[in-house]
Amino acid sequence: MPVNIGDKPQADFNRPIELMMDCHRRIERFLMVLRKIGRAGKLDARLGSALRTALDYFKLAGPRHNEDEEASLFPALTACDNAAVAAAMLRMRRLAEEHATAEKLHRLIDELGEAWLKAGKISAEDRRKFQHAVETLIGIYTPHIAMEEHEIFPLAAQLLPPETLIGIGEQMRARRAANPGREGSRCSQRRRKSSS
Ligand SMILES: [Fe+2]
Ligand SMILES: [Fe+2]
């Protein structure tokens, strides 16, 4: 596999929390791509390709990352009999609600972005909606990711036994194997690399 100088090595499934943090970095990066495209308002070949990649990423990896947290990490943490977990329950509920809000915004961005790619142009009104949805998402994700990385993930790393973390990693691997993504997409290529 070619390695680019400066690339961070892919986290592996035995370290699920690191893997989730890598997902956060990709979410942040692709949100900045969407912001840049919305501000540009026109698609040349490079921005069109960047929009295609960002839409593919969020269509596949966004819901799967939420599932990693809601169906694997949060339940494992909730099962811990610990006062700190009891205090974090409300936060985990709020994080799950934010996932649902973010998914609605992703659907709108996807709809507008796909239409933009198909037509090669976007109306002023749709561009305004696109930009508003992207900025709202950034406003949701910034504190959301901070709460996960500063409160929930450290608690999980502290309390969950190694076998539970490995089990979470296996669930994450199975999710990706079940849905590797559109053939040729950057997501599916990355997945093949990290599972090889
Ligand atoms: Fe989350
Ligand atoms: Fe997250």
Side-chain angles (χ1 to χ4, degrees):
M1 183 206 313
V3 176
N4 295 322
I5 293 169
D7 269 5
K8 185 175 177 292
Q10 291 278 338
D12 68 43
F13 287 103
N14 291 324
R15 295 189 182 133
I17 293 176
E18 273 184 37
L19 207 56
M20 289 180 199
M21 288 173 71
D22 284 349
C23 285
H24 287 170
R25 300 294 81 79
R26 285 192 283 274
I27 289 169
E28 289 163 347
R29 199 164 70 231
F30 283 120
L31 284 172
M32 290 306 119
V33 168
L34 292 176
R35 171 185 268 171
K36 187 174 169 188
I37 290 167
R39 285 179 179 171
K42 284 184 192 154
L43 294 180
D44 56 14
R46 190 176 56 83
L47 288 181
S49 162
L51 179 56
R52 173 76 275 147
T53 305
L55 294 181
D56 281 348
Y57 177 78
F58 283 121
K59 219 176 311 228
L60 179 70
R64 204 163 51 189
H65 175 74
N66 293 348
E67 208 182 339
D68 291 339
E69 291 172 349
E70 288 184 46
S72 297
L73 183 70
F74 296 171
L77 205 45
T78 303
C80 293
D81 183 14
N82 184 286
V85 170
M89 296 279 275
L90 202 62
R91 290 186 183 89
M92 285 191 273
R93 267 205 292 278
R94 200 169 92 208
L95 289 167
E97 285 166 13
E98 288 171 358
H99 290 163
T101 307
E103 279 180 24
K104 281 185 203 149
L105 290 161
H106 279 302
R107 278 199 292 277
L108 175 62
I109 290 168
D110 189 64
E111 199 179 292
L112 294 166
E114 289 291 352
W116 192 354
L117 281 170
K118 196 169 171 201
K121 60 184 179 185
I122 190 166
S123 68
E125 174 62 12
D126 282 352
R127 181 182 166 205
R128 192 195 58 75
K129 283 189 205 163
F130 182 93
Q131 287 187 281
H132 184 260
V134 170
E135 294 307 318
T136 308
L137 261 185
I138 292 170
I140 291 171
Y141 271 119
T142 304
H144 181 101
I145 286 174
M147 182 182 286
E148 289 178 347
E149 295 196 357
H150 297 142
E151 297 191 38
I152 304 299
F153 292 179
L155 198 58
Q158 182 197 334
L159 296 178
L160 297 179
E163 61 272 22
T164 302
L165 289 169
I166 288 170
I168 290 171
E170 281 308 311
Q171 290 166 22
M172 291 170 70
R173 185 200 297 276
R175 265 177 214 119
R176 283 144 184 84
N179 189 359
R182 186 172 62 83
E183 192 57 37
S185 71
R186 294 260 295 274
C187 274
S188 71
Q189 288 168 6
R190 187 185 305 115
R191 191 58 47 219
R192 268 191 285 280
K193 280 183 195 170
S194 62
S195 60
S196 60

